[in-house]
């Protein structure tokens, strides 16, 4: 038997470590985008994004093509955790699930309270937590934060992603093409049939996934959702008995193959392409516009209140348990980190305000400001808060 020193790390531990490192890379790409967009290179930056490569511009290849791979990974993570991970039982789903619901509802309400009807369709922008960014910040705290809070944050962010996928499908889809939808449904039926037939090689799924992406792109449903649909059809062998069995699982193989390119290439490219806000060229009113305030306060206040309030309520009602060795102060610090909304928030911004560059810029300012303040406050609070170890008074 392998000694503990040489034992293979758990899938969750590898996931947390990979997401934490990717979050630090994403921070760098976002900062670089801001610098470029407010420098003499701004014109070149815009020209490159709007240059066409075949039928789509560079910007669309990134947002519709590369991000479909990101959504494929999101779908794989959701399926794995739901069937054979931290979300595989109702007790495990209870706290992050209830917290995620509060953390999506309250920010949306904050946005709607601040914004008039003409900009109200941006309500979902502050609803999602960026898992890579949030875990990147919490990783800087080392063992000051109990492992249970890292698991709670990761599970909550995964459920957030699922909620964002549902929101995009229900509220940001228009102009549907029935023939293309029918074609996509047929491809999905074939993918499901491959799963039921226990086909364990990946190439048929990936080949049909490309066809599915083209049909979904043409159908009017956002093309990135093809990644989620494909992920749900990839076979998973629940609870592998040995490391070799885990490697043989198509879902695990694909997930492991995608983590590095998505975390260290695709998401940073997306951040570089979409975080560039020409702040110096915006009117001063944009900094205090309803969209800017709605997004920024939704992330900073709405997320913290929604996640922390829903968590405490569920714990006091006996619906869920407090994360092990975590104090209430640390739980609130983690709720603040949930206000780091970047990748999904930027993505929903593009869907909520298509062809409206000023509103997009205002939303991006709100995302960057709300995420930055949430991250700094959450980090500072978690750094000074003490865990609730046995014998230590809970805060």
């Amino acid at each position: 038997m392998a000694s503990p020193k040489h034992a293979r790390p758990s899938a969750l531990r590898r996931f947390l470590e990979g997401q934490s490192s990717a979050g630090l890379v994403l921070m760098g790409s976002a900062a670089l985008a801001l610098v470029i967009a407010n420098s003499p290179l701004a014109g070149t930056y815009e020209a490159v994004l709007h240059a066409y490569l075949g039928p789509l511009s560079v910007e669309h290849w990134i947002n519709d093509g590369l991000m479909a791979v990101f959504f494929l990974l999101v779908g794989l993570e959701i399926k794995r955790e739901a069937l054979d991970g931290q979300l595989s039982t109702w007790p495990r789903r209870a706290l992050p699930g209830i917290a995620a619901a509060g953390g999506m509802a309250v920010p949306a309400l904050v946005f709607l309270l601040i914004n008039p009807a003409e900009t109200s369709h941006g309500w979902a922008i502050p609803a999602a937590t960026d898992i890579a960014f949030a875990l990147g910040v919490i990783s800087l705290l080392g063992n000051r934060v109990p492992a249970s809070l890292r698991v709670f944050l990761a599970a909550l962010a995964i459920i957030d992603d699922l909620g964002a996928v549902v929101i995009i499908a229900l509220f940001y889809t228009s102009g549907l093409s029935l023939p293309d939808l029918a074609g996509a449904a047929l491809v999905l039926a074939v993918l499901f049939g491959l799963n039921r037939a226990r086909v364990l090689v990946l190439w048929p799924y990936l080949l049909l996934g490309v066809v599915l992406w083209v049909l979904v792109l043409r159908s009017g449903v956002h093309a990135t959702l093809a990644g989620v649909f494909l992920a749900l059809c990839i076979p998973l062998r629940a609870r592998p008995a040995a490391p070799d069995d885990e490697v043989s699982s198509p879902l695990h193989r694909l997930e492991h193959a995608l983590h590095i390119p998505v975390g260290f290439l695709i998401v940073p490219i997306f951040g570089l392409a979409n975080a560039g806000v020409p702040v110096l060229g915006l009117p001063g009113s944009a900094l205090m516009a309803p969209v800017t305030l709605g997004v920024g306060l939704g992330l900073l206040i709405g997320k913290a209140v929604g996640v922390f309030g829903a968590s405490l309520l569920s714990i006091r009602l006996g619906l869920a348990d407090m994360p092990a060795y975590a104090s209430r102060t640390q739980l609130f610090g983690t709720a603040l980190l949930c206000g780091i909304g970047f990748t999904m928030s930027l993505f929903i911004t593009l869907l909520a305000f298509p062809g409206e560059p000023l509103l997009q810029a205002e939303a991006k300012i709100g995302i960057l400001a709300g995420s930055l303040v949430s991250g700094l406050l959450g980090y500072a609070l978690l750094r000074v808060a003490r865990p609730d170890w046995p014998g230590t008074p809970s805060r």
Side-chain angles (χ1 to χ4, degrees):
M1 175 183 271
S3 66
K5 184 170 79 171
H6 299 293
R8 167 181 287 208
S10 69
L12 180 65
R13 182 177 173 184
R14 294 196 302 274
F15 168 74
L16 292 174
E17 291 172 349
Q19 290 294 324
S20 299
S21 301
L24 300 178
V25 175
L26 182 55
M27 293 178 197
S29 70
L32 179 60
L34 278 173
V35 171
I36 293 175
N38 292 279
S39 75
L41 295 173
T44 304
Y45 174 78
E46 290 293 330
V48 169
L49 288 177
H50 294 106
Y52 270 75
L53 292 176
L56 301 175
S57 68
V58 171
E59 184 178 32
H60 280 101
W61 277 118
I62 293 171
N63 295 336
D64 293 347
L66 290 182
M67 288 302 285
V69 182
F70 165 79
F71 274 78
L72 170 59
L73 180 59
V74 167
L76 293 172
E77 290 167 352
I78 291 171
K79 181 173 180 177
R80 171 177 55 77
E81 292 296 335
L83 296 182
D84 193 35
Q86 290 300 313
L87 303 176
S88 59
T89 63
W90 285 111
R92 288 181 175 181
R93 296 169 189 157
L95 184 61
I98 295 170
M104 298 184 79
V106 179
L109 180 60
V110 170
F111 184 93
L112 290 172
L113 288 175
I114 294 174
N115 279 266
E118 53 267 27
T119 56
S120 61
H121 44 291
W123 61 271
I125 296 172
T129 295
D130 190 287
I131 188 169
F133 250 136
L135 289 176
V137 172
I138 207 169
S139 71
L140 300 175
L141 293 157
N143 58 10
R144 291 174 181 269
V145 177
S148 62
L149 278 181
R150 297 171 188 264
V151 173
F152 166 73
L153 179 59
L156 186 152
I158 289 171
I159 296 172
D160 255 4
D161 282 345
L162 176 59
V165 168
V166 173
I167 287 171
I168 291 169
L170 294 179
F171 298 100
Y172 295 106
T173 293
S174 61
L176 297 179
S177 166
L178 294 181
D180 288 310
L181 278 177
L186 179 61
V187 173
L188 274 175
V190 175
L191 285 166
F192 181 74
L194 291 175
N195 182 301
R196 297 292 294 174
R198 300 184 183 276
V199 175
L200 300 181
V201 291
L202 277 170
W203 70 263
Y205 295 96
L206 299 181
L207 184 61
L208 287 169
V210 173
V211 178
L212 179 65
W213 178 80
V214 172
L215 290 169
V216 174
L217 175 68
R218 291 168 38 174
S219 72
V221 177
H222 203 275
T224 52
L225 296 182
V228 179
F229 300 149
L230 174 61
L232 299 180
C233 296
I234 303 294
L236 169 68
R237 290 178 176 174
R239 303 194 181 282
D244 290 341
D245 291 337
E246 180 178 324
V247 172
S248 71
S249 168
L251 187 144
H252 282 98
R253 291 204 311 272
L254 184 56
E255 186 180 5
H256 294 332
L258 289 178
H259 262 304
I260 290 179
V262 168
F264 294 93
L265 185 64
I266 290 176
V267 172
I269 288 175
F270 174 80
L272 186 62
N274 291 282
V277 183
V279 179
L280 300 179
L282 291 175
S285 59
L287 299 177
M288 297 299 291
V291 170
T292 307
L293 293 176
V295 172
L297 294 178
L299 288 171
L300 176 60
I301 297 175
K303 271 290 184 183
V305 171
V307 170
F308 186 65
S311 297
L312 280 189
L313 183 61
S314 65
I315 292 168
R316 290 186 176 180
L317 292 177
L319 301 176
D321 295 328
M322 186 79 171
Y325 304 122
S327 66
R328 286 188 292 273
T329 305
Q330 287 183 316
L331 183 61
F332 183 67
T334 306
L336 281 168
L337 291 186
C338 292
I340 303 176
F342 191 77
T343 306
M344 276 297 188
S345 293
L346 285 175
F347 192 80
I348 294 174
T349 294
L350 304 176
L351 303 179
F353 302 121
E356 300 182 78
L358 179 57
L359 292 179
Q360 287 186 12
E362 291 172 356
K364 289 177 181 180
I365 292 172
I367 292 168
L368 294 172
S371 298
L372 178 62
V373 177
S374 295
L376 290 175
L377 289 178
Y379 175 84
L381 186 57
L382 287 170
R383 187 169 181 81
V384 301
R386 290 195 301 167
D388 188 19
W389 301 118
T392 302
S394 178
R395 295 185 178 187

